Amino acid sequence: MELNPETVPLGSPGLVPQSFWENDCKVIYVARNAKDNLVSYYHFQQMNQALPETGSWEQYISSFLSGQVSWGSWFDHVTGWWESKAKHRILYLFYEDLKEDPAREIDRVARFLGKGLDQAVIDRIADHTSFVQMKENPMTNYSTLPTFIFNQAVSPFMRKGTVGDWKQHFTVSQSERFDEESRRRLAGTSLRFRTEL
């Protein structure tokens, strides 16, 4: 099926220039479970002064589930890239796996790129790319941007970086509704996400 760039979500395989696929470029794609992703979007959109108001938490859940957020449908995005990995050189990673065992996933990336790294180098990369290090680094935490762009008094750009923070935001009924919609939207794919470690 040929994707129409006017109807595909931002960042989906259909918006990558055709020459990218023709030249057999490699892609590293990282997906995060929908619940934690929604929480992250919510806080990011609140602090990002260029984006529209989020509305209430309940309204934002509905917007996310219907794909009416600035980045389009999470479901279309993750399934589009998941399906594309069978046809292209795509390393599909999961945020939860990166949090669980950074060294293992760094080694996977290196091998995908045709590089062999010794354990000392992998450990250094894991340290420099850890959430704690990146949260303190002005090159990655966007702390140097003026508040009229990112108002980090509302929420820091690098907020928590954990798996399972959704439990601090969702009510039981919201979680059940979200899970039901997720099952429906991911049915027919082999794509599975972990919502806790």
Side-chain angles (χ1 to χ4, degrees):
M1 174 178 100
E2 192 64 34
L3 294 172
N4 178 351
E6 294 178 10
T7 60
V8 293
L10 181 67
S12 69
L15 289 182
V16 175
Q18 188 60 36
S19 61
F20 189 87
W21 304 121
E22 290 167 357
N23 289 309
D24 200 27
C25 295
K26 291 182 177 183
V27 175
I28 299 170
Y29 183 89
V30 180
R32 188 178 191 184
N33 80 74
K35 286 180 170 177
D36 282 327
N37 205 315
L38 182 149
V39 170
S40 182
Y41 275 5
Y42 180 73
H43 289 286
F44 176 73
Q45 190 164 335
Q46 287 188 320
M47 59 83 79
N48 187 329
Q49 304 303 292
L51 296 174
E53 293 289 324
T54 59
S56 70
W57 171 246
E58 182 68 34
Q59 290 168 326
Y60 201 73
I61 292 173
S62 295
S63 296
F64 183 91
L65 288 172
S66 65
Q68 301 302 307
V69 289
S70 296
W71 303 273
S73 169
W74 175 90
F75 297 99
D76 292 346
H77 203 288
V78 297
T79 57
W81 283 98
W82 183 254
E83 292 164 5
S84 294
K85 73 182 180 58
K87 298 174 279 196
H88 302 287
R89 296 195 303 167
I90 298 171
L91 177 62
Y92 199 105
L93 301 176
F94 295 92
Y95 182 82
E96 296 74 24
D97 294 343
L98 287 162
K99 291 297 290 186
E100 180 180 63
D101 192 341
R104 178 191 64 214
E105 299 304 298
I106 291 166
D107 185 54
R108 285 186 66 206
V109 169
R111 285 185 284 113
F112 178 70
L113 297 175
K115 303 294 180 190
L117 300 177
D118 62 42
Q119 193 59 48
V121 173
I122 290 173
D123 292 342
R124 277 194 10 242
I125 293 170
D127 178 55
H128 286 294
T129 59
S130 70
F131 188 84
V132 171
Q133 291 284 352
M134 292 177 69
K135 187 175 176 97
E136 297 302 317
N137 184 345
M139 298 296 288
T140 55
N141 68 17
Y142 289 99
S143 60
T144 59
L145 285 180
T147 57
F148 69 84
I149 298 173
F150 281 179
N151 185 352
Q152 296 202 46
V154 173
S155 178
F157 178 76
M158 302 286 294
R159 204 175 61 82
K160 288 187 178 178
T162 60
V163 177
D165 186 47
W166 63 268
K167 295 175 190 176
Q168 306 303 314
H169 295 76
F170 282 76
T171 65
V172 171
S173 62
Q174 288 170 342
S175 180
E176 289 171 350
R177 172 181 161 224
F178 197 94
D179 289 345
E180 183 179 326
E181 181 65 13
S182 292
R183 278 190 294 275
R184 187 184 74 74
R185 297 290 301 273
L186 297 175
T189 76
S190 58
L191 191 52
R192 300 292 175 264
F193 288 90
R194 295 187 290 164
T195 57
E196 54 190 309
L197 292 179

